[in-house]
């Protein structure tokens, strides 16, 4: 689940399926733009590694759709696996406390590994994962992210393949969630949450 407190989510409204009362989603990146960009990234990856088998590693859960679409657009031999990480307290990534909650099924030693992420935000998750993977001696290690929020970075990590660089808005859809909802939206959108109720007027008594 993306961190809620750290993003500003104010946007104009539009309805979308599965939303809770008062919530709305405005499309930021349409499904057709996502599809075209993934085709470009897939071509770029194959150009960089013209004939080698590629091993994609998706970071659960947000990367599932990006990995599924990317894997099918890359020609030639492609395998994939999944890994899951968790940070202590979803709103405190900056603590740096990332841990592995699901490891890979097979070794990455000697493979050309492409870590596939839905979003690169503070970079804490990716920094941790890159350290883990480097210790496992892949032949090459690259990173593909669908979305990049460069303004939010607190670590010096970068992705080799970036779908879209986006501003610091709270985004959902195409794998990205809010409280586990909205992952199934076909487009990436900006989530608007209901405004908190006005505080009651203070009682004023005559002196
Ligand atoms: C998201 C995303 C990345 C991470 C990026 O995962 O999928 O793994 O946050 O944030 P960072 O750059 O600040 O570390 P999340 O923890 O929301 O889990 P999810 O993919 O299961 O929704």
């Amino acid at each position: 689940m993306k961190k809620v407190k750290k993003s500003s989510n104010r946007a104009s409204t539009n309805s979308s399926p599965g939303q809770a009362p008062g919530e709305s989603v405005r499309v930021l990146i349409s499904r057709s733009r996502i599809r075209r960009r993934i085709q470009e990234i897939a071509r770029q990856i194959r150009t960089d590694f013209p004939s080698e088998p590629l091993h994609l590693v998706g970071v659960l859960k947000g990367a599932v759709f990006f990995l599924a679409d990317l894997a099918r657009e890359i020609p030639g031999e492609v395998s994939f696996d999944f890994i899951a990480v968790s940070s202590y307290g979803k709103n405190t990534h900056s603590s740096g406390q990332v841990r592995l909650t699901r490891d890979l099924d097979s070794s990455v030693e000697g493979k050309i590994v492409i870590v596939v992420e839905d979003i690169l935000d503070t970079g804490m998750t990716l920094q941790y994962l890159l350290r883990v993977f480097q210790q496992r001696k892949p032949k090459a290690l690259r990173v593909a992210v669908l979305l990049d929020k460069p303004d939010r970075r607190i670590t010096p990590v970068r992705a080799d393949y970036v779908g879209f660089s986006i501003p610091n808005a709270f985004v959902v859809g195409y794998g990205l969630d809010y409280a586990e909802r909205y992952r199934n939206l076909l487009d990436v959108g900006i989530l608007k949450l209901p405004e908190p109720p006005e505080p009651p007027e203070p009682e004023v008594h005559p002196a």
Side-chain angles (χ1 to χ4, degrees):
M1 190 187 99
K2 284 302 317 132
K3 293 128 315 258
V4 178
K5 286 201 297 201
K6 295 196 281 184
S7 301
S8 57
N9 295 328
R10 300 295 166 243
S12 63
T13 61
N14 207 359
S15 70
S16 65
Q19 65 198 26
E23 293 176 7
S24 57
V25 178
R26 176 170 63 84
V27 173
L28 178 67
I29 309 169
S30 69
R31 64 201 74 179
S32 56
R33 281 184 74 197
I34 293 171
R35 184 155 179 265
R36 283 198 301 275
R37 188 73 188 113
I38 290 176
Q39 288 168 342
E40 289 169 0
I41 292 172
R43 271 198 296 276
Q44 185 60 54
I45 291 173
R46 202 27 110 193
T47 304
D48 293 348
F49 300 98
S51 53
E52 295 99 322
L54 300 172
H55 191 63
L56 308 187
V57 174
V59 185
L60 293 171
K61 301 172 193 166
V64 286
F65 299 122
F66 181 36
L67 182 139
D69 288 343
L70 183 63
R72 287 178 293 180
E73 293 289 354
I74 301 174
E77 192 176 328
V78 172
S79 57
F80 57 80
D81 202 346
F82 291 97
I83 198 165
V85 293
S86 162
S87 49
Y88 290 107
K90 285 288 181 185
N91 294 320
T92 55
H93 258 203
S94 54
S95 68
Q97 307 242 31
V98 183
R99 69 189 169 96
L100 213 56
T101 56
R102 182 208 185 274
D103 208 341
L104 301 172
D105 288 336
S106 59
S107 166
V108 294
E109 190 171 341
K111 294 180 181 170
I112 295 171
V113 173
I114 301 177
V115 179
V116 179
E117 268 279 31
D118 54 346
I119 190 163
L120 177 52
D121 192 347
T122 65
M124 296 303 298
T125 305
L126 191 57
Q127 184 182 54
Y128 170 82
L129 284 173
L130 290 175
R131 216 169 36 234
V132 168
F133 283 116
Q134 269 150 5
Q135 287 164 359
R136 298 181 181 189
K137 301 185 172 55
K139 182 177 174 190
L141 185 57
R142 300 286 186 276
V143 175
V145 301
L146 181 71
L147 306 175
D148 185 11
K149 278 185 179 176
D151 295 348
R152 294 263 309 146
R153 201 82 81 253
I154 59 172
T155 60
V157 295
R158 52 171 286 281
D160 301 283
Y161 309 101
V162 176
F164 302 92
S165 192
I166 61 168
N168 181 26
F170 189 77
V171 284
V172 294
Y174 199 74
L176 292 145
D177 74 309
Y178 172 61
E180 295 301 325
R181 293 180 285 114
Y182 299 110
R183 290 195 199 273
N184 59 328
L185 297 184
L186 293 163
D187 311 299
V188 169
I190 296 177
L191 177 66
K192 182 178 190 291
L193 295 171
E195 297 292 339
E198 292 287 324
E201 292 288 327
E203 282 183 32
V204 180
H205 301 286

